[in-house]
Amino acid sequence: MSVQHVLVLNCGSSSLKFAVMDANSGDELLTGLAERLHSDDATLKYKFAGDKHTNALPKGADHQTAIDTLVTLIGNFSLSQHLIAVGHRVVHGGEQFTGSQIITPHIIDAITQTAQLAPLHNPANLTGIRAAQAAFPELVQVAVFDTAFHQTMPKHAYLYALPYSLYERHGVRRYGFHGTSHAYVSLMAIKKLGLDADNSRIISAHLGNGCSVCAIKNGRSVDTSMGLTPLEGVVMGTRSGDIDPGLFDFLTNQLGYASAEVSDILNKQSGLLGISELSNDCRTIEEAHVAGNAKATLALDIFCYRLAKQIAAYLVPLAGLDALIFTGGIGENSDIIRAKVLAHLAFLDIHVDPESNLAARFGNLGVITTATSRAQAVVIPTNEEWMICQDAARLAKGVS
Ligand SMILES: Nc1ncnc2c1ncn2[C@@H]1O[C@H](COP(=O)(O)OP(=O)(O)O)[C@@H](O)[C@H]1O
Ligand SMILES: CC(=O)OP(=O)(O)O
Ligand SMILES: [Mg+2]
């Protein structure tokens, strides 16, 4: 089989995650992260051939600069000759896309149109697409949408109880995100736990900077906690998750906030950061909690309580549970959060096994419940990059 590599790009609002992967084996040849873009201390960290490096980027460096640096690295390490495609994570695909797409001017128009529904994510994704097209004009570029996996949700799960015309005319509905991750970990859970793919009831909790929960019945998403935008649902690092929509009126009309300020509060100043008044980073919160910081403890308590409530709610669409998956940076590493969430679910006869819970960290996959629990909780490291790589390679091969 010929060597085939894919460049995977995940552009966040102030970051760029990237990987050059082998499309046949999934091996990562180059991985990295450019962060704090648009600020004075933008950096690009990468790992190549087992060695880690950090490059300072010019002050105020943007996605274009980060991709230019990445292109230089790819050249220096002679990684371009086997590239067959560039795969892009695109957060919002609206209702149009139920699967990945080769990027054409029409697809770019569609992503641009949905940008108003994901103002923190889609504009950055588009910047990444344009920069990669300029750097690799000869390669097929593929968009892999966070929303695609959730297009199987039934209408009663994705519609809000709002005037129907808002849906018909403006696409106001629940879309859901992190679909690539939920799809990957649920497939892995079915494989690792030996479940019957066509008769399985799985809840997946993706807990990273953004957090969402997904109910997956027989391999298909039937409900998920994020909605029109990635703000709805459970508590996140800086996002509030569900709130009373009446809050908007109170903050604007009573307290005088502008609507952009309300959006900033809900998206960037809330969640773990807002409650703890300390950090959005779960590690910092956990350290402060262990050291006796009451607000850090409260932030963890609210996070876990809300998460457990969301998980329990999905017993309705699933009518039972075979496996509960924890993934994302928090789900894969925080034994504290997993134990607290499972303690709330003890009434379901699901009980954490403390030793297994401690073992399943730092990239280790594992079941963390006792053998007699009615359903298994399992930690599965996500790999959105591998899903994006496989889709990009599949579509690129269809073209050539
Ligand atoms: N050892 C750890 N213990 C607790 N939380 C962790 C640990 N390692 C990473 N995290 C948390 O994971 C979160 C980031 O998750 P990640 O999936 O990397 O984010 P992203 O959504 O950007 O991909 C942060 O809140 C971070 O604190
Ligand atoms: C959709 C979303 O919330 O993505 P992230 O977790 O990367 O912010
Ligand atoms: Mg991640």
Side-chain angles (χ1 to χ4, degrees), residues 6-12 16-19 67 70 74 86-90 125 127-129 131-133 136 141-142 144 385 388:
V6 172
L7 170 61
V8 177
L9 295 181
N10 177 355
C11 285
L16 162 70
K17 288 185 197 161
F18 56 86
I67 290 182
L70 169 60
I74 288 174
V86 184
H88 297 267
R89 175 188 182 206
V90 177
N125 303 155
T127 309
I129 290 171
Q133 283 179 325
F136 301 102
Q141 312 264 336
V142 172
V144 179
E385 292 74 20
I388 294 171

Side-chain angles (χ1 to χ4, degrees), residues 38-364:
H38 311 288
S39 80
D40 285 353
D41 49 358
T43 53
L44 186 143
K45 295 179 186 160
Y46 65 92
K47 192 169 155 193
F48 177 72
D51 294 327
K52 290 183 180 169
H53 306 265
T54 303
N55 287 6
L57 292 171
K59 275 185 196 284
D62 56 11
H63 288 90
Q64 181 70 54
T65 315
I67 290 182
D68 289 345
T69 309
L70 169 60
V71 172
T72 307
L73 289 177
I74 288 174
N76 290 348
F77 298 140
S78 305
L79 287 174
S80 59
Q81 78 239 31
H82 296 303
L83 283 178
I84 58 162
V86 184
H88 297 267
R89 175 188 182 206
V90 177
V91 165
H92 215 312
E95 257 186 341
Q96 296 185 49
F97 304 118
T98 53
S100 303
Q101 301 287 329
I102 291 180
I103 297 173
T104 60
H106 164 73
I107 300 290
I108 292 194
D109 281 351
I111 299 171
T112 310
Q113 273 163 29
T114 35
Q116 53 182 189
L117 295 176
L120 297 181
H121 292 92
N122 272 36
N125 303 155
L126 280 167
T127 309
I129 290 171
R130 294 206 173 96
Q133 283 179 325
F136 301 102
E138 72 289 1
L139 291 182
V140 173
Q141 312 264 336
V142 172
V144 179
F145 300 96
D146 261 42
T147 42
F149 181 62
H150 302 298
Q151 282 295 309
T152 49
M153 282 194 285
K155 216 165 193 174
H156 62 256
Y158 72 68
L159 276 189
Y160 293 112
L162 289 170
Y164 197 78
S165 59
L166 282 174
Y167 168 59
E168 283 182 312
R169 288 199 213 139
H170 304 290
V172 175
R173 54 159 281 183
R174 312 183 60 254
Y175 290 94
F177 301 89
H178 297 137
T180 311
S181 175
H182 291 303
Y184 173 79
V185 296
S186 57
L187 283 169
M188 286 294 283
I190 287 167
K191 203 160 124 191
K192 295 280 169 191
L193 302 178
L195 302 177
D196 175 358
D198 297 325
N199 189 17
S200 55
R201 301 159 301 177
I202 295 175
I203 297 175
S204 157
H206 174 103
L207 311 174
N209 279 313
C211 300
S212 73
V213 185
C214 183
I216 303 158
K217 194 169 188 173
N218 308 337
R220 292 153 72 89
S221 169
V222 290
D223 206 345
T224 192
S225 60
M226 282 180 167
L228 176 73
T229 75
L231 183 55
E232 188 179 335
V234 294
V235 176
M236 313 181 209
T238 61
R239 292 175 233 165
S240 61
D242 294 341
I243 43 137
D244 178 350
L247 177 70
F248 181 81
D249 194 35
F250 179 74
L251 290 179
T252 51
N253 293 332
Q254 303 296 322
L255 300 187
Y257 285 97
S259 97
E261 289 174 311
V262 175
S263 173
D264 198 72
I265 290 173
L266 298 178
N267 279 293
K268 297 185 181 165
Q269 301 174 39
S270 298
L272 291 175
L273 170 68
I275 304 159
S276 70
E277 299 183 317
L278 192 64
S279 174
N280 63 315
D281 193 299
C282 185
R283 282 164 291 204
T284 311
I285 309 267
E286 288 189 353
E287 279 162 26
H289 156 69
V290 171
N293 180 316
K295 282 188 177 151
T297 303
L298 183 62
L300 289 178
D301 285 347
I302 296 173
F303 184 95
C304 295
Y305 172 69
R306 290 268 299 271
L307 183 55
K309 276 209 299 184
Q310 185 67 71
I311 291 167
Y314 286 155
L315 295 177
V316 172
L318 295 180
L321 182 66
D322 299 313
L324 166 63
I325 304 169
F326 288 97
T327 193
I330 297 175
E332 290 165 29
N333 295 297
S334 174
D335 55 293
I336 296 180
I337 285 184
R338 295 184 312 226
K340 276 176 174 284
V341 171
L342 290 174
H344 284 299
L345 299 175
F347 75 98
L348 292 170
D349 211 3
I350 303 174
H351 304 285
V352 71
D353 177 61
E355 249 176 57
S356 322
N357 189 27
L358 274 180
R361 291 184 297 166
F362 317 128
N364 293 322

